[in-house]
Each structure stands twice: as structure tokens, then as C-alpha cells.
Amino acid sequence: MRKEGKINLGFYNKFAQYHDIMLPINERLNYTGFLKYYFKNFKGNILDCACGTGVHLIFFAKMGFKIFGSDISFGMLAQARKNLKAYSVKSDLKICDFRLLKEKYKKESFDFVVCLGNSLPHLFGKKNVIKALKSMYKVLRKRGKLVISLRNYDKLISQKKKYDLIDKDDNIFLYLYEYLPNKLIFNIIAGIKDNKKIQFKTFKTEYNPISKKRLQSYLLEIGFKNISFFSFNEKAKYTFDIKNDDHYFVIAEK
């Protein structure tokens, strides 16, 4: 059993090379509707503290922001460097646990800190989640904004969804969900086509199913204000529906 506070780096270091096969960068850049809508009137610098393979760094750079990227996984950062080079985007990428941002960014402060892609729920226990959110708070400028995106665990747990299937160019990714007390396990079976043959690999990681209510209470406890929730749904004018939306954004101001 994984110790509380320890992020499953083995999963991301190994899965990084398959991540962009499952979710291609060019396609993901087309699914940034809310971010375009929200950030279109802002300027400044931005830290993506769980930058993964770099898709949001590319997006924000193209929008004119000065970008900074960090991630705890060297495998993800290696893939991010390849992607940024392919899109002619420059950023100083750092290996960093998002609970320790001020140790890595001692002199910098940011207009925005983003933690996207359901990254925060890799931490278990209130102490660790609070530590991460405080870390993000500390590197924000006054009136700076934190933007987080998560899966809607309220919906996922209530419906007990069993699986998801992603089919990409003859590559198949099957997500199987296990529901345990205070924990969700994602088992991933990846069928990757290589020289006309399908090779199967399995991966496993765990998530802390943070509810909307609990996340909001943590943000308020730290001192964030003007907390708002939004959906990914442009047709609904990004209004978050906790019963029907699969994911959401939360924005909070320092």
C-alpha cells in the first residue's frame, strides 16, 4: 500500500511515452475552450505546476503568456521538452513537487498558477492537499489566481462508473475503475500497435476522490477568496453541473 503523501512516480515515468498517443497534443489543444474564454483578457506570467507533457504550456505560450513549467515526473518532463520543441515554444522546465514550489521558485512570483489534468488528487490526506494548495498560494502575487481542473468525483462515485475506452489510431486504452474507501484505483490496459502487432501493457495508479465541497473548504482555510467553479461545457456557458459534468475548473484568488 502506498504511503500517504507519496506520489506514484513510477506510473507517470513509465506512462509518459504513451500519454500523447492516447491524448494527442494537437487534439488536446482544440479542447481548451474554457481556458481561451477565461484567459483571453489577461496578460502576465503563469506557472503550470503539474505541466505533464506540456500541452498547456504550449497553449498559454501561444496566448502570449510568459510561461514556467514544473512537474514531479522526469518522464513527463522529458516528453514535455520534445513537445515544446516541436511547437517552437521555450520554457525553463523544472522537476518539482508542487508541495514545494517556493523552494524551487525562490525569487519568482506569478500572476497565475495552474494545476490541471486532475493532478491534485494524486495526494492523499488533508495535510498533503493543504500543503500543496499553500505552496501554490505562496508563489502567487497579490490578487493572483489559482486555476485547478479535476474530475468530478462527486458524480463518479455516485454513479460507480466501471470503465472508459479510448480508441486512437488502432491503439486502445481501457480504464477500469476500482472504488475503495477514500480511494479510487485506475487500472489501465494499453494496447499499442507496433509493426502491425498489438503489444499490451498494464498500468495502475490511485486517486484521492476530492469532493467539490471539500476542495472549497481547503481553499477557504488557506485564505483564497472569490472561489468559482466552471464546467468544460461551452453550450452551457461553462456553468458547472455537479450531477452531470465529468470534469470542472475551480478558480480562486489570493
Side-chain angles (χ1 to χ4, degrees):
M1 183 175 180
R2 184 165 57 84
K3 292 182 179 180
E4 183 177 292
K6 186 176 182 181
I7 296 174
N8 185 2
L9 288 179
F11 167 75
Y12 278 102
N13 290 334
K14 293 176 182 177
F15 191 66
Q17 61 180 311
Y18 304 109
H19 188 274
D20 291 337
I21 297 174
M22 180 179 72
L23 300 170
I25 288 285
N26 61 328
E27 291 185 17
R28 294 174 69 201
L29 287 171
N30 292 328
Y31 289 99
T32 50
F34 174 77
L35 296 177
K36 288 178 183 177
Y37 162 79
Y38 181 76
F39 283 96
K40 64 183 178 182
N41 295 320
F42 290 110
K43 295 180 180 179
N45 68 357
I46 190 162
L47 169 64
D48 186 345
C49 67
C51 68
T53 63
V55 61
H56 294 109
L57 290 174
I58 295 167
F59 167 78
F60 286 119
K62 298 300 184 184
M63 287 196 72
F65 286 90
K66 183 177 181 180
I67 57 170
F68 298 78
S70 65
D71 200 285
I72 198 170
S73 165
F74 68 81
M76 285 290 181
L77 287 180
Q79 192 69 21
R81 290 187 180 95
K82 294 178 183 178
N83 290 330
L84 266 61
K85 184 177 180 180
Y87 281 84
S88 301
V89 170
K90 293 183 179 181
S91 178
D92 180 19
L93 303 181
K94 299 180 183 293
I95 292 180
C96 183
D97 184 326
F98 53 34
R99 288 168 290 187
L100 303 171
L101 294 172
K102 199 61 181 176
E103 294 183 14
K104 191 67 68 170
Y105 297 96
K106 295 179 180 179
K107 297 181 179 180
E108 294 93 345
S109 59
F110 302 96
D111 299 297
F112 296 92
V113 173
V114 300
C115 182
L116 306 173
N118 195 45
S119 298
L120 186 64
H122 286 296
L123 295 176
F124 283 81
K126 177 180 178 179
K127 179 180 177 181
N128 285 293
V129 177
I130 288 285
K131 185 175 182 179
L133 294 173
K134 280 185 177 178
S135 172
M136 298 171 200
Y137 185 92
K138 288 177 182 177
V139 296
L140 278 169
R141 293 172 179 163
K142 186 176 182 181
R143 296 192 181 89
K145 293 179 174 63
L146 172 64
V147 182
I148 300 173
S149 68
L150 293 91
R151 291 193 71 129
N152 181 6
Y153 288 104
D154 293 277
K155 177 188 174 184
L156 194 61
I157 290 173
S158 68
Q159 295 186 351
K160 292 287 194 297
K161 190 175 185 179
K162 298 297 184 183
Y163 69 91
D164 274 312
L165 179 64
I166 300 173
D167 189 349
K168 288 288 182 182
D169 301 323
D170 296 325
N171 301 300
I172 297 173
F173 297 85
L174 177 63
Y175 276 66
L176 300 172
Y177 303 114
E178 292 182 56
Y179 296 85
L180 301 176
N182 302 314
K183 180 190 298 186
L184 263 70
I185 298 176
F186 286 22
N187 298 284
I188 305 172
I189 302 172
I192 309 297
K193 190 172 184 179
D194 185 18
N195 295 324
K196 296 182 179 181
K197 294 182 179 180
I198 300 292
Q199 295 185 355
F200 288 93
K201 297 181 180 293
T202 60
F203 304 90
K204 178 178 179 179
T205 191
E206 301 173 354
Y207 288 96
N208 174 7
I210 303 172
S211 68
K212 173 181 176 288
K213 182 178 180 180
R214 190 149 49 99
L215 177 59
Q216 185 171 22
S217 71
Y218 292 166
L219 292 168
L220 288 170
E221 182 177 329
I222 291 165
F224 282 102
K225 56 189 178 181
N226 299 327
I227 301 168
S228 301
F229 295 84
F230 300 90
S231 76
F232 286 35
N233 189 348
E234 183 178 4
K235 292 182 179 179
K237 297 182 179 180
Y238 304 114
T239 300
F240 177 52
D241 182 346
I242 197 168
K243 292 183 178 180
N244 293 305
D245 288 320
D246 292 322
H247 304 82
Y248 64 91
F249 291 96
V250 57
I251 298 177
E253 182 180 314
K254 181 171 180 178

